[in-house]
Amino acid sequence: MTGKMQTADILEETGFFQKLNESTLKELASGACVCTYERGEVLYRAKEEVRHIYFQLSGKSTLYNMTHNGSRKIIFILGKGELLNDHVLNEHKTSLFCETIEKSRILKIPAPSFLKAMEKDFALTRRVISVQEKKIWRLGHQLKNTMGSIYLERKLAAKLWKLARDFGKAGDRGIEIDIQMSVTFLADLLGAPRETTSRVCKNLTEHGLITMEKKRIYITDADRMACFYKTGRYEEG
């Protein structure tokens, strides 16, 4: 379902566009639209030329790649307000896949008009650079955690701790991560076999760091989880 934008107001839903020039917002809004996607729909694929710049208005999406053995490796999980493109200038074809993991509203802006607005308004260009620098910083931390100096338990603990920080809801059972995550999804997140991931989840559960129920994960003690992924020690609660 697609709706044509009437004003620039909806751009400010993302936060990304707040305090930009009014003329920039109007220019972007003139060609933009909001689309609703169901869970599991692909916005763009690797090795394609992406014709739109996408922003997440509601719901969540993943950026992932395919490994040589045909399995997924999730790079990012992105929520409200996030820029979903791995490439913006489109001087090269995209290197990742982007797929919704729950029903989502997506802001689509034609790439040529977005680039034209970047040329006119350095504040917009600066926002794009800032967002992409943040992604590079996060990638650097991911690479650091894949060099063999961290066990899979600690690697998963670090990822779950961050997801709890970004998408967590505090409750009686701890911090609930507001994402449906099966063992297969967690395996894609780790880049590990499903059977191995299942054992890792069991270890974290047995040590009281997480509980799992119907594809929902609860961080029972965020401080203990942080201590474990940083030091490898299971501190007693």
Side-chain angles (χ1 to χ4, degrees), residues 16-131:
F16 180 94
F17 297 97
Q18 289 180 2
K19 298 182 179 179
L20 292 181
N21 291 335
E22 191 68 26
S23 60
T24 300
L25 296 177
K26 289 181 179 179
E27 182 177 344
L28 292 174
S30 65
C33 64
V34 176
C35 299
T36 300
Y37 292 85
E38 298 300 323
R39 182 172 184 258
E41 292 198 60
V42 177
L43 301 185
Y44 60 81
R45 293 174 170 82
K47 299 180 181 179
E48 286 185 346
E49 181 180 346
V50 179
R51 299 175 186 239
H52 291 87
I53 307 301
Y54 299 94
F55 291 87
Q56 192 91 27
L57 294 181
S58 67
K60 302 178 188 72
S61 299
T62 59
L63 299 187
Y64 66 89
N65 214 334
M66 302 301 296
T67 64
H68 292 299
N69 61 13
S71 60
R72 292 188 184 191
K73 176 63 177 76
I74 294 174
I75 312 297
F76 297 115
I77 300 173
L78 301 174
K80 182 177 179 179
E82 298 272 13
L83 170 64
L84 299 180
N85 297 67
D86 63 329
H87 291 180
V88 173
L89 297 180
N90 285 332
E91 293 179 352
H92 306 282
K93 292 184 179 179
T94 184
S95 58
L96 300 176
F97 295 79
C98 180
E99 182 177 318
T100 58
I101 59 172
E102 57 189 47
K103 189 173 182 178
S104 300
R105 288 172 62 241
I106 305 293
L107 171 66
K108 294 174 57 176
I109 303 174
S113 62
F114 191 84
L115 293 175
K116 185 177 179 181
M118 285 176 63
E119 291 176 357
K120 293 180 179 179
D121 189 344
F122 181 71
L124 175 60
T125 303
R126 186 169 183 170
R127 297 273 175 92
V128 173
I129 293 172
S130 177
V131 167

Side-chain angles (χ1 to χ4, degrees), residues 4 15 27 47 56 62 75 89 115 142 152 167 175 190 203 227 235:
K4 197 69 176 177
E27 182 177 344
K47 299 180 181 179
Q56 192 91 27
T62 59
I75 312 297
L89 297 180
L115 293 175
Q142 288 188 35
L152 281 178
F167 305 111
I175 302 174
L190 277 179
N203 289 343
C227 178
E235 298 289 346

Side-chain angles (χ1 to χ4, degrees), residues 198-212 220 224 234 236:
S198 180
R199 289 195 297 271
V200 169
C201 291
K202 183 178 179 182
N203 289 343
L204 295 181
T205 301
E206 289 177 347
H207 283 90
L209 295 179
I210 65 171
T211 57
M212 302 178 67
T220 54
R224 286 185 63 223
Y234 289 106
E236 294 301 325

